[in-house]
Amino acid sequence: MNYLNLDTAKTKKTVNELNILLADYHLYYQKLRNFHWNIIGENFFDLHIKFEEMYNDTLIKIDEVAERILTLRFQPVSNLSDYIKMSEIKESPSEIKDSEMIEVLLEDHGTLLVQMRKTVETADAGGDEGTIDLLGAYIRELEKTSWMLDTWKMNKTSNHKKS
């Protein structure tokens, strides 16, 4: 790995965290597909489209995380059974209400954000600016998506907190 000028031992720790994130993203992706296929009710059109947008974005991130692991000269985890064991994200039933789907996704966003921040801390300790840059953008995007989903579930009479 001399071409990256990174310490292999420190990079291995970052890769371990990236593989957990990869597992989390795979389960999150499948959950979005589940919700996309099984959404019903008055919010069908809005959420069907939103879930598709989200799973397409997640599919890109899955590939980018795996390619980052490869760039660091390690092999990404690539078996579903391993993802299920490694991930903090759990499967969801298909027969839940739209508002419950949003709640589940917001919980998963919290899990993803925790893992991304942990990975950034590990990458920072290893001087890995490439991973930090990649995940910094993911964090910002996921925080914005979380805000939008949280706003979607607010009552029309709700207000944002004043600073």
Side-chain angles (χ1 to χ4, degrees):
M1 172 161 12
N2 291 337
Y3 67 92
L4 294 178
N5 294 317
L6 294 171
D7 179 316
T8 304
K10 291 179 180 177
T11 301
K12 184 175 182 176
K13 292 177 184 176
T14 301
V15 168
N16 288 338
E17 298 302 331
L18 283 168
N19 270 315
I20 293 169
L21 181 61
L22 187 61
D24 287 342
Y25 265 132
H26 270 88
L27 270 81
Y28 175 69
Y29 171 81
Q30 188 54 44
K31 189 176 294 185
L32 288 166
R33 296 296 303 246
N34 174 8
F35 291 173
H36 171 76
W37 294 329
N38 292 295
I39 185 73
I40 58 172
E42 64 186 47
N43 293 306
F44 170 82
F45 289 107
D46 293 335
L47 291 178
H48 185 75
I49 291 167
K50 186 63 178 173
F51 294 156
E52 183 174 6
E53 174 188 307
M54 291 169 69
Y55 73 65
N56 284 332
D57 178 66
T58 301
L59 191 57
I60 292 167
K61 287 178 171 56
I62 286 170
D63 193 53
E64 290 176 345
V65 169
E67 288 178 352
R68 182 65 190 164
I69 293 168
L70 290 163
T71 299
L72 295 171
R73 306 303 278 166
F74 287 85
Q75 187 169 7
V77 173
S78 58
N79 293 312
L80 292 174
S81 58
D82 290 332
Y83 295 148
I84 290 169
K85 289 177 200 168
M86 294 170 65
S87 179
E88 291 295 319
I89 293 179
K90 303 303 174 205
E91 295 177 302
S92 291
S94 302
E95 303 80 19
I96 61 175
K97 297 177 188 174
D98 55 1
S99 59
E100 293 172 307
M101 290 176 177
I102 298 302
E103 287 294 334
V104 166
L105 292 176
L106 287 169
E107 288 175 21
D108 289 349
H109 289 187
T111 300
L112 285 164
L113 288 166
V114 164
Q115 184 57 36
M116 282 189 261
R117 290 178 181 131
K118 184 176 181 183
T119 307
V120 165
E121 287 177 23
T122 305
D124 187 42
D128 180 357
E129 291 295 328
T131 298
I132 294 167
D133 182 59
L134 179 71
L135 297 186
Y138 290 4
I139 290 168
R140 183 186 66 249
E141 290 173 26
L142 191 58
E143 288 173 343
K144 183 174 182 180
T145 300
S146 298
W147 158 68
M148 290 180 172
L149 291 177
D150 189 56
T151 300
W152 176 88
K153 69 182 186 76
M154 291 173 81
N155 295 326
K156 291 178 179 159
T157 58
S158 298
N159 289 314
H160 295 285
K161 294 178 181 141
K162 295 180 180 173
S163 53

